[in-house]
Amino acid sequence: MKSFGSVQALSDVDLEVNKGEVMALVGDNGAGKSTLIKCIAGTYTMDEGELLYGGEPVTISTPRDAAKLGIEVVYQDLALCDNLDVVQNMYLGREASRLSILQEPPMEAKTKETLASLRVTTIKSIRQPVATLSGGQRQSVAVARAVMWNNRVVFLDEPTAALGVAQTRQVLDLVKRLGEQGLAVVLVSHNLTDVFEVADRITVLRLGQDVGVYEKSATSEQEIVQAITFGKQDAEASA
């Protein structure tokens, strides 16, 4: 549960994601998606509720707490530095050094290894500035940075927003590979076509409440739209 003054942003919300699964988190604007993510990521502190990690209760009060558990959020703005190259962005704030001297070869090797493990092949040079990359390539760098630090849970906030067809394809393939590599992935998206392509299950939020969890194989885009718009009970009543 999370409130901002008199505004109840979240109430009775459950979100579960398993290892090797892509869970989609959907809902209209104001449904509480961003607030939920920020509570899990430690940006906001929950007023009430419990967080379970590996079946055990945990306390996440700051982003550092989330990072220690292996929880990473790739926000829509990506938080990349355009003037730095790929390697520098991957290691931003975590640079490998010895006697105050940057250890460039190990950082380059690890960057190449991580990108290769995710089959990111469109970046010509890991030493090119991020400003020269396409939207899909930038998204790939942000995701690879999240994966490189042994994170186990990755939240992706609207990863295909403002991308072209080819770049969207590249990012969706990357999302699939994250699940195949055993990570727990939460995909926040308004694009139900993308959701139905890559998600295993779908959690719907409406007005700060948990409408329900849907198995992709047992639902349809129409049912999800109804849940987003009217809520589960109304959707069932109108069926």
Side-chain angles (χ1 to χ4, degrees), residues 97-162:
S97 63
R98 179 180 298 172
L99 300 177
S100 299
I101 300 175
L102 288 178
Q103 301 297 296
E104 297 286 358
M107 291 194 293
E108 290 184 355
K110 185 64 176 178
T111 297
K112 289 180 180 179
E113 178 187 336
T114 303
L115 292 173
S117 72
L118 295 174
R119 298 204 290 277
V120 177
T121 59
T122 59
I123 297 175
K124 295 180 180 179
S125 170
I126 59 174
R127 282 304 183 181
Q128 67 184 104
V130 163
T132 66
L133 301 179
S134 69
Q137 291 169 330
R138 291 164 61 89
Q139 187 70 243
S140 296
V141 171
V143 172
R145 181 176 62 185
V147 172
M148 189 169 70
W149 300 103
N150 296 319
N151 292 306
R152 301 177 182 179
V153 184
V154 177
F155 287 79
L156 303 175
D157 185 13
E158 298 286 355
T160 61

Side-chain angles (χ1 to χ4, degrees), residues 211-228:
V211 173
V213 181
Y214 299 79
E215 294 285 343
K216 182 186 70 174
S217 59
T219 188
S220 65
E221 289 192 31
Q222 181 180 3
E223 184 178 18
I224 297 301
V225 169
Q226 286 183 320
I228 292 171

Side-chain angles (χ1 to χ4, degrees), residues 159-237:
T160 61
L163 295 184
V165 174
Q167 295 174 352
T168 295
R169 172 80 274 140
Q170 175 185 343
V171 171
L172 292 179
D173 288 344
L174 183 57
V175 173
K176 291 179 182 177
R177 287 195 287 273
L178 294 179
E180 291 169 357
Q181 291 188 7
L183 277 76
V185 183
V186 178
L187 172 67
V188 181
S189 180
H190 283 92
N191 190 320
L192 291 184
T193 300
D194 292 353
V195 166
F196 271 81
E197 179 167 349
V198 301
D200 299 297
R201 294 190 296 158
I202 304 166
T203 294
V204 179
L205 297 186
R206 180 174 183 270
L207 301 177
Q209 295 187 332
D210 182 2
V211 173
V213 181
Y214 299 79
E215 294 285 343
K216 182 186 70 174
S217 59
T219 188
S220 65
E221 289 192 31
Q222 181 180 3
E223 184 178 18
I224 297 301
V225 169
Q226 286 183 320
I228 292 171
T229 307
F230 303 111
K232 189 173 183 179
Q233 291 183 345
D234 290 340
E236 289 175 345

Side-chain angles (χ1 to χ4, degrees), residues 34-93:
S34 294
T35 301
L36 177 59
I37 291 175
K38 290 178 179 179
C39 285
I40 296 172
T43 304
Y44 295 154
T45 301
M46 296 189 304
D47 299 328
E48 295 181 25
E50 185 178 37
L51 287 172
L52 299 178
Y53 189 85
E56 299 294 329
V58 296
T59 299
I60 300 178
S61 302
T62 67
R64 186 180 296 274
D65 294 336
K68 288 180 179 178
L69 291 171
I71 299 172
E72 183 82 12
V73 181
V74 180
Y75 291 104
Q76 194 169 343
D77 63 8
L78 302 183
L80 298 175
C81 295
D82 285 350
N83 61 313
L84 301 181
D85 63 32
V86 174
V87 176
Q88 291 167 329
N89 270 280
M90 293 280 280
Y91 276 87
L92 191 62

